[in-house]
Amino acid sequence: MTVTLNHTIVPAVDHRAAARFFADVMGLPILPPAGRDGHFAPVRVNDQLTLDFVSVPAPEGHHLAFDVDPDTFDAILTRLRDGGVPYGNDPRTPDNGRVDHPLCARGLFFRDDSGNLYEVMSPA
């Protein structure tokens, strides 16, 4: 069996709000609450991976990077713009409004309210 990532935990001030924000921006489904007493708010990323958001008192932001196709990138960019969510091409300035990413044809970074930094990269 090859090694695949099944899920990862994403810390948040409010796990349900953070999961909803991420799912809305990325166009992904939120799954029913999981874990003991439903303390995880899972978002299905693909057939093998969920991000399980959990509330913690003082979350330290994580960096999560995603490869997407050009159409998905365009849809994410549209949702960010329509939602007034700042984005940028550099993790140090994720609010500069640029998508000319240094590692791919187009890419961007955006943050959630808990300090998690999301990176979205497209080959075109």
Side-chain angles (χ1 to χ4, degrees):
M1 177 175 169
T2 60
V3 176
T4 57
L5 183 62
N6 176 276
H7 72 276
T8 191
I9 305 300
V10 181
V13 172
D14 177 338
H15 66 299
R16 288 183 181 88
R20 171 59 52 209
F21 170 77
F22 175 76
D24 287 350
V25 167
M26 299 295 283
L28 299 170
I30 293 181
L31 301 176
R36 189 173 12 112
D37 303 321
H39 63 279
F40 291 121
V43 176
R44 171 67 58 202
V45 175
N46 58 41
D47 290 339
Q48 292 82 33
L49 176 64
T50 62
L51 297 184
D52 293 355
F53 290 80
V54 64
S55 294
V56 298
E60 293 182 17
H62 287 255
H63 176 175
L64 300 158
F66 302 92
D67 290 322
V68 299
D69 61 70
D71 291 337
T72 301
F73 184 88
D74 290 338
I76 291 166
L77 182 57
T78 296
R79 287 189 289 270
L80 288 168
R81 287 177 175 159
D82 289 351
V85 178
Y87 63 89
N89 69 336
D90 188 298
R92 295 171 304 241
T93 55
D95 58 354
N96 65 17
R98 295 172 49 184
V99 297
D100 53 318
H101 195 282
L103 301 178
C104 58
R106 293 187 303 157
L108 59 83
F109 296 85
F110 65 96
R111 288 193 184 280
D112 67 16
D113 289 341
S114 296
N116 293 303
L117 180 68
Y118 300 101
E119 182 176 10
V120 181
M121 298 178 286
S122 173

